[in-house]
Amino acid sequence: MTGVGPPLGASAGDEWVCLNVGGTVFATTRTTLARDPASFLYRLVVTPTTSPAHSPAEAGAPGLPPALGSPLGSSRDAQGAFLIDRDPSYFSPVLNYLRHGKLVMDKSMAEEGVLEEAEFYNITGLIGLVKERIQQRDQNCGREGRNIVYRVLQCHEDELTNLVSTMSDGWKFEQLINIGSQYQYGSEDHAEFLCVVSREYPFDAKANGHAMPTDKGKFLRQAGSRM
């Protein structure tokens, strides 16, 4: 049997409710379960009338209907806990979201499993959070399938314009560093710069560990060869 503590801000007079989810018992308050009026859990614990539901002990007493106080008519176990035939390991993120409005889940959990439970209980806020996390996860996986090549180029001040014109071949600036004046024509100093550029390549576009060359990349290699 697994016990789950009360939500933050729960008052001493708030009525406690027990849920038997797939054989694991969770204890929380009626206020927590009723956080989302459109959810299954709200309809489980909130009656159409304003009269409070019986306590778990009363609900399990002989002669009383097993789902007294529940508009869904859900069955209860011998201790009066509502019986829900779902995976208990994925119920904790659902309950924690109702407590504090945040998505908290173990690293070993699959986001799709939490999404399945959020959709079953019809908790719209949690559904949105899980879908957002799945999208971020998939985007990160896509980036892991690419190789980022960085180059540091040294160029003169008057070469910057020519360098910028080569950026359309997939290269982009990461950083521009002024390293001061290295040569002088007459009385004028000409500054030099270090340009950090990057480009993404799919792993299958590499040959012998090096990115495949392109025509517009020639200037970058030539500029970098002066380093």
Side-chain angles (χ1 to χ4, degrees):
M1 180 180 295
T2 300
V4 182
L8 294 176
S11 63
D14 198 358
E15 184 179 355
W16 282 83
V17 179
C18 289
L19 305 176
N20 186 331
V21 183
T24 301
V25 176
F26 295 82
T28 185
T29 65
R30 185 178 300 274
T31 300
T32 295
L33 296 177
R35 195 80 67 189
D36 185 345
S39 71
F40 166 88
L41 296 172
Y42 178 93
R43 292 182 289 121
L44 183 68
V45 299
V46 176
T47 61
T49 63
T50 56
S51 60
H54 292 260
S55 66
E58 293 174 336
L64 290 177
L68 187 61
S70 172
L72 291 181
S74 176
S75 299
R76 301 198 188 198
D77 62 15
Q79 285 72 41
F82 288 105
L83 288 168
I84 303 177
D85 187 19
R86 302 295 294 183
D87 186 348
S89 61
Y90 282 97
F91 184 70
S92 291
V94 173
L95 186 57
N96 284 327
Y97 173 79
L98 293 174
R99 285 170 167 158
H100 46 61
K102 298 179 181 179
L103 174 59
V104 179
M105 51 183 290
D106 293 337
K107 293 181 179 180
S108 59
M109 287 185 175
E111 287 84 357
E112 287 78 6
V114 179
L115 178 60
E116 182 72 21
E117 298 307 297
E119 291 177 341
F120 172 81
Y121 295 108
N122 195 33
I123 302 176
T124 54
L126 181 58
I127 292 172
L129 288 178
V130 178
K131 286 184 176 180
E132 182 179 347
R133 178 169 293 192
I134 291 175
Q135 183 179 11
Q136 293 175 350
R137 180 202 65 190
D138 293 344
Q139 290 175 348
N140 291 336
C141 289
R143 283 194 290 267
E144 290 176 358
R146 302 185 67 84
N147 181 50
I148 302 179
V149 177
Y150 292 93
R151 287 179 179 165
V152 180
L153 314 174
Q154 183 175 354
C155 62
H156 306 309
E157 183 178 5
D158 53 1
E159 293 177 322
L160 282 176
T161 302
N162 191 19
L163 180 62
V164 170
S165 66
T166 67
M167 293 297 101
S168 60
D169 193 34
W171 292 92
K172 63 180 181 180
F173 275 112
E174 296 290 345
Q175 191 175 6
L176 183 65
I177 305 172
N178 190 335
I179 58 175
S181 176
Q182 300 294 327
Y183 66 99
Q184 182 176 9
Y185 288 138
S187 60
E188 296 183 359
D189 290 337
H190 293 262
E192 290 201 354
F193 297 87
L194 293 180
C195 300
V196 181
V197 297
S198 68
R199 183 178 177 180
E200 289 188 0
Y201 289 91
F203 282 121
D204 57 1
K206 296 192 302 178
N208 298 324
H210 299 285
M212 297 294 288
T214 60
D215 291 340
K216 291 186 177 180
K218 291 181 179 179
F219 177 79
L220 297 177
R221 294 194 304 275
Q222 292 171 357
S225 65
R226 296 200 303 268
M227 293 295 293

